[in-house]
Amino acid sequence: MKQFTITSLALCLFSIGGSSAQPLMEFNNRHLGISTDNNPAFLPQYGFNMGLFSSAMGRTHGLSLPTLFDPATTAENTIRDFIQTPGSQFGAEFNVRAGLNLGFGTKKSYFTFSQTVNGMTNTSAPKDMLGLIAFGNAEYYGKTADLDFSGTSLMSYAESKFSFGRAVSNKLNVGISYSKLNGLMHMELDEAYARILTLDNQQTIYEIQSSAALSGRSSLLGIDANQLTDSGYDAQGAITDALNSGLGNNGSAWGLGAVYRANEKWRFSASAKNLGANIKWDMAAQTHNMGPAQWTWTGLDTSITSQLKDSDPLQVVTDSIKAQFTRTTTDVASYETKLHTQWILGAEYFISPRAQIQVVGGSGLGIKGNQSFTQVTYHQEWKEILDFVAGVGVFGWNSEPNIISSNLGASLNLGPVQVWGRSQFSSAYDYLAFSAGANINIGMRKDADHDGVPNKRDSCHQTFGVRSNNGCPLGYIGPRMTYENTVPAGMDSSAVQYDERNMPVVYTEMEIEPIEGAKAPKEKKKKSKKVKTEVATTPKKKEEPNLSDIMKN
């Protein structure tokens, strides 16, 4: 069962046609445990999370679908204009990912384990191949069709990732991850081309002169590439034998991350993935070579055209090519490939605890590490039930024009069950992507003010605070704030005032000023005993006799 599952996943990844761009980002979403995949320092708000997810991304360049199916012209004319334009090329990139993740959190930490299968493809599809498919040799009389596949690469691998994130202070989280990699399939063509010159000759049909060369390497999960053309070769049996002998093609990778909550309004983050990442391919590793060779075919003699229906011209051509072009496949002990380091930076502005604007950028993505992106996203939460995401992004490739895309997404939280999805697309449909998943979330730690302290432990759960002060702002030393009945009975609730930290001022009776029309609360008169008090008096000074009065007397 294990062999069948891994083999099926690997073959599916390689059989899907399409093109690829950067991985669809689920960035710092506290309701999605998969957010830790892009930054291990991010701490989701669940005690336990388990989920399945999948994503696929595709990109074509050189010829878009709206151009191909433009109602103002025919597809044949569009292809003809394309192949006659100097310097134009057609290519495709593809990325698919599927897996599961498990996570659980403590008061200040979050642990995650994920198991994924990843597939990446970068294919150069020469424009002249498209021309030959559409028109045969008709558009190439006296011309050379250049079929250059150099640089084409395909890779799929399984990844087991362990990550740990920790809040080290009121504002800073740090994280680290380690990945165990197992390569499934790999093929890379350093050089692969064929050039075909079609000559117009009245005596022959399609007289062709051709040259070609090949240089590359592969490891196809135990499959011998040299025997793939043999109809009796048991490829499935070769895969089973390879898996029974132990899954090889080993590699590893590290990741680092940090999240810094500067204040109530701003949060910044940075992460690096695939640090030191490499895979050593040692399962049926092979190199493939074919030196530059020339081949000329004189075509079909016009004198035997009446017999074509009884012959197999394609077999005639194939036999002639095999006789001229000889490919050499050599078994090697191993070879190594490196995964490119991915860098991601982000800044978030919180309009409110449940609404934020995210600006995210990254580089080093794709099988060749030549992809970069920048996207701006608006994220709105509705209670703890619904999340909505909308934004725009700019995606860039080396030597290729940038693509502007739109993205939409949502997640629905129905108690412990959560479903989510997100899509990205460009107006020309030369970039399409989607991701979706389902989660089981247990122990939701509601956080109304989004300060990282769950409501149950937050003494000021509606005011942004810090972990070290039980979720209250630094300097607050009062009891748990209930945000209710802060005005004595009978007083208008509009009398509540807030200080500069958005903390409600708790009044005492001496501080409350009567409000017109409001009834003051009745006070019970306290009985007091009469106490006899003596008032201290100051004795009057005796008047001294006046000299004039004495003489009168």
Side-chain angles (χ1 to χ4, degrees), residues 322-403:
K322 285 183 177 180
Q324 187 65 33
F325 296 103
T326 302
R327 176 174 57 86
T328 301
T329 298
T330 304
D331 295 335
V332 295
S334 64
Y335 65 89
E336 189 174 291
T337 59
K338 293 185 178 182
L339 278 66
H340 297 274
T341 301
Q342 301 175 8
W343 305 93
I344 301 173
L345 298 175
E348 300 166 86
Y349 177 77
F350 289 83
I351 303 171
S352 70
R354 295 193 180 276
Q356 65 198 87
I357 297 174
Q358 298 178 334
V359 180
V360 188
S363 64
L365 292 89
I367 192 170
K368 292 189 173 183
N370 64 341
Q371 302 174 12
S372 60
F373 76 97
T374 302
Q375 63 184 21
V376 180
T377 304
Y378 175 75
H379 186 172
Q380 177 68 58
E381 300 177 9
W382 184 68
K383 297 184 178 180
E384 303 289 345
I385 301 175
L386 179 67
D387 288 10
F388 175 76
V389 177
V392 295
V394 178
F395 301 90
W397 285 259
N398 293 354
S399 72
E400 294 293 335
N402 291 334
I403 291 178

Side-chain angles (χ1 to χ4, degrees), residues 3 7 11 185 220-225 227-243:
Q3 291 88 344
T7 302
L11 294 178
M185 290 186 176
L220 305 179
L221 205 62
I223 297 176
D224 185 351
Q227 300 186 50
L228 282 176
T229 56
D230 185 353
S231 59
Y233 179 63
D234 184 9
Q236 179 63 44
I239 295 175
T240 302
D241 292 341
L243 292 175

Side-chain angles (χ1 to χ4, degrees), residues 384-444:
E384 303 289 345
I385 301 175
L386 179 67
D387 288 10
F388 175 76
V389 177
V392 295
V394 178
F395 301 90
W397 285 259
N398 293 354
S399 72
E400 294 293 335
N402 291 334
I403 291 178
I404 299 177
S405 71
S406 304
N407 66 80
L408 295 171
S411 66
L412 183 62
N413 310 309
L414 303 174
V417 179
Q418 178 190 52
V419 292
W420 61 274
R422 190 167 175 181
S423 64
Q424 292 177 324
F425 51 90
S426 65
S427 59
Y429 299 104
D430 50 2
Y431 172 75
L432 296 171
F434 78 88
S435 63
N439 298 322
I440 299 295
N441 300 316
I442 300 175
M444 178 184 287

Side-chain angles (χ1 to χ4, degrees), residues 434-496:
F434 78 88
S435 63
N439 298 322
I440 299 295
N441 300 316
I442 300 175
M444 178 184 287
R445 297 167 176 173
K446 295 183 179 180
D447 185 7
D449 53 12
H450 211 152
D451 60 0
V453 182
N455 291 349
K456 291 182 178 180
R457 298 199 305 266
D458 197 333
S459 296
C460 305
H461 62 277
Q462 292 183 22
T463 303
F464 185 86
V466 297
R467 298 184 184 96
S468 62
N469 199 28
N470 298 323
C472 290
L474 290 173
Y476 179 77
I477 57 175
R480 179 177 177 84
M481 185 62 66
T482 62
Y483 298 90
E484 297 175 359
N485 301 322
T486 54
V487 180
M491 300 300 293
D492 192 338
S493 61
S494 63
V496 180

